Amino acid sequence: MGAGTSPADPASAGREADGPDSAAEGGSTATGNTEAGSGAEAGRPVSGSEAGEPGSGAASAEPGGEAAAPRRSRRFPLFTRDTARPEGGGRAAPGDAPAPARQWPLLTVLCTAGAGLLIVALDPFAEAFRIGTILIGAALIAGAVLRWVVPSVGMLAVRSRFTDLVTYGLMGTLIVLLALVAQPKPWLDVPILEDAVRFTIR
């Protein structure tokens, strides 16, 4: 009790009455702030406003000086150290389409080549071997055309567009040419090939 004050002084009585409560409130506030700070440092989930996302006024760095971890992007990196999806390897149809429709370029090539193999294996008519082989080569050429024209061909894209074009086109053209010049009674007469064969087996 200070000098010049009496126990009946209402001001001093108010201070004494408010003192413990105010001290308790101040202590709980300080404790809450400490717990909030320790919780952020202990690894609890931090909301977007606390983490300092773009558009919020909060700082992007934590009180300890460590910056928040950057969010990983789902885009392909500019420079890759691993095998990346080839250009045009996306779906050939929207995602809500049935699974066969998304891969229709590959299914077209496979079904055409399968039909050619079936004709060659069953040999149902004359010149079936030649027609079936031409169908197989035409399927590969069709694959090259689809790889060139269609922006996204799904699993038909194996490598880069240029490599796929050269591979499909060259193999398909060679198969068709071999089917046309096959003996006996070739459909395409190439004198250079006849001279080369005669010179080889002579």
Side-chain angles (χ1 to χ4, degrees), residues 80-140:
T80 59
R81 295 186 178 90
D82 200 356
T83 303
R85 185 174 63 190
E87 179 189 359
R91 299 189 190 100
D96 55 351
R102 298 180 212 156
Q103 301 295 335
W104 68 265
L106 178 65
L107 291 177
T108 301
V109 174
L110 288 180
C111 290
T112 307
L117 288 173
L118 192 62
I119 291 174
V120 171
L122 297 179
D123 196 11
F125 50 86
E127 301 290 345
F129 171 77
R130 196 185 307 274
I131 293 175
T133 309
I134 291 175
L135 201 57
I136 296 172
L140 291 174

Side-chain angles (χ1 to χ4, degrees), residues 146-170:
L146 288 174
R147 189 71 174 95
W148 183 25
V149 174
V150 180
S152 297
V153 292
M155 295 178 66
L156 188 63
V158 180
R159 300 172 186 85
S160 66
R161 181 166 292 175
F162 175 77
T163 305
D164 288 343
L165 280 172
V166 172
T167 304
Y168 294 149
L170 187 61

Side-chain angles (χ1 to χ4, degrees), residues 76-80:
F76 288 101
L78 184 60
F79 300 101
T80 59

Side-chain angles (χ1 to χ4, degrees), residues 4-5 8 17 23 28 31-32 38 45 54 56 62 71 85 100 104 108 116 122 134 144 146 156 159 183 194 198:
T5 59
S28 63
T31 305
S38 62
S56 65
E62 295 181 355
R71 183 176 294 176
R85 185 174 63 190
W104 68 265
T108 301
L122 297 179
I134 291 175
L146 288 174
L156 188 63
R159 300 172 186 85
Q183 298 290 336
E194 293 181 0
R198 289 174 183 173

